[in-house]
Amino acid sequence: MQLDQTHVAVRVRTLAEIGDLALVLLHRYPTLLLVGFLLGAWPWMVANALLLSWIPLTEAQYGLDDSEAIWELSRYATWMALLVFLQTPAAGVVTTIYLGQAVFEHKPSWKSALKIARQQFWRWFYCLGIRRLAIPAMILVALRLFQPYDNVFDVTLPIILFVVALAVRAGRPFLPEMILLEMCPLRSKNANEITLSRRARALHRPAGSDVGSRWFAAALTLTVIFAGLFYSLVWVRGIVTGYWNFGLVTLLVLYPLALWTVGGLSVVVRMIAYLDTRIRLEGWDVELAVRAEAMRQFGEETGISKSATPTPSKSISVPPSSEAAATTVGGAS
């Protein structure tokens, strides 16, 4: 294992270069979205369909063009977008782990990534599914099954949830990587061991404004990409079928498909941004070179696990194998 032999140059990158590298990663590993993200996202997709598909199906019986249908369909679109936004970090756990395994492996294993995701299930499910409001939002939607449109529930409440989630996500966007790759414990009786909260403060606070601004810029860019992708899918459907209205296929298939595709892309972008942040703050590129030389000179693996998913170190600087996760999988950039 050569820690300094990665598939991508380990260096500081601008936000535009991060986006470019994300596309390189998807080109080199097209299964990141086609297989990996689908493995993690399909339970959430099914749950969303069960919770919300009744709205367009019910309105289609009376026509999708009347004024009442517009409000109901707006309700469907709003809750679907909010749920996907909240669920994406949890849905991307397998993809994140796969990138982590790709540090020095030319052919990472989805089977191994799934196994690790299962082993870490309760940790990431609690942090990303419950504390990050995905499950609470789904419960709220379930309580309103087959109920009519309501301004408070279908306008005010989604806005409140979105603003809260936006603030939390922008402030600590790299929580999935710290859980899945650094494997920081939620709690520890050892005062010297780095818990998840301590690690989050150490990584996010020193670069808080930069991390937050980058997150918002990436979110706006991904929103534009979503709009372009969604209308491209509608256009293709129109060309193929000659049907240009927003029917059930558009609402039940194309709209969620565009949302989840952009969600998968956001997981890759977040991973690269995480690596860049660690390079800027912790000099991970220097640490990687030093540890690689130590391994060559003394034959020590310095705590690097064979699966390339590291355990946290005893200091604030976490072992670099999690960083190499995405720097190695994209090809030179």
Side-chain angles (χ1 to χ4, degrees), residues 48 78-90 128 132 134 161-170 215 219 259-260 263 266:
N48 292 349
T78 299
W79 278 109
M80 179 64 76
L82 179 60
L83 289 181
V84 172
F85 173 72
L86 296 174
Q87 295 162 352
T88 293
L128 305 179
R132 292 264 166 130
L161 288 174
F162 177 72
V163 171
V164 172
L166 197 67
V168 173
R169 189 87 61 84
W215 188 91
L259 286 171
W260 282 113
S266 73

Side-chain angles (χ1 to χ4, degrees), residues 239-262:
I239 292 294
V240 173
T241 65
Y243 185 77
W244 294 93
N245 293 331
F246 276 35
L248 289 178
V249 173
T250 299
L251 294 170
L252 297 177
V253 179
L254 301 185
Y255 180 65
L257 177 61
L259 286 171
W260 282 113
T261 300
V262 173

Side-chain angles (χ1 to χ4, degrees), residues 131-145:
R131 292 181 60 180
R132 292 264 166 130
L133 300 179
I135 298 300
M138 294 172 69
I139 293 174
L140 291 174
V141 175
L143 293 175
R144 293 281 299 172
L145 278 172

Side-chain angles (χ1 to χ4, degrees), residues 38-89:
L38 182 61
L39 287 173
W42 75 264
W44 305 97
M45 294 178 181
V46 173
N48 292 349
L50 294 175
L51 290 172
L52 293 170
S53 61
W54 66 271
I55 298 176
L57 289 174
T58 301
E59 294 303 317
Q61 299 176 9
Y62 307 99
L64 298 175
D65 301 327
D66 58 50
S67 58
E68 292 186 8
I70 291 175
W71 288 107
E72 290 290 346
L73 296 180
S74 299
R75 169 191 182 185
Y76 166 81
T78 299
W79 278 109
M80 179 64 76
L82 179 60
L83 289 181
V84 172
F85 173 72
L86 296 174
Q87 295 162 352
T88 293

Side-chain angles (χ1 to χ4, degrees), residues 172 178 184-185 190-204 314-316:
R172 295 189 174 185
M178 289 183 287
C184 298
N190 185 353
N192 295 322
E193 188 171 17
I194 301 176
T195 61
L196 185 61
S197 60
R198 289 178 61 193
R199 177 59 180 148
R201 288 194 298 270
L203 184 62
H204 293 120
K314 300 300 181 181
S315 63
I316 288 298

Side-chain angles (χ1 to χ4, degrees), residues 144-201:
R144 293 281 299 172
L145 278 172
F146 305 106
Q147 299 297 316
Y149 174 87
D150 181 80
N151 284 328
V152 174
F153 184 84
D154 297 311
V155 178
T156 305
L157 187 57
I159 291 175
I160 293 174
L161 288 174
F162 177 72
V163 171
V164 172
L166 197 67
V168 173
R169 189 87 61 84
R172 295 189 174 185
F174 305 132
L175 193 68
E177 285 74 18
M178 289 183 287
I179 295 171
L180 299 167
L181 299 180
E182 299 183 16
M183 295 185 180
C184 298
L186 300 181
R187 300 177 185 84
S188 176
K189 295 181 179 179
N190 185 353
N192 295 322
E193 188 171 17
I194 301 176
T195 61
L196 185 61
S197 60
R198 289 178 61 193
R199 177 59 180 148
R201 288 194 298 270

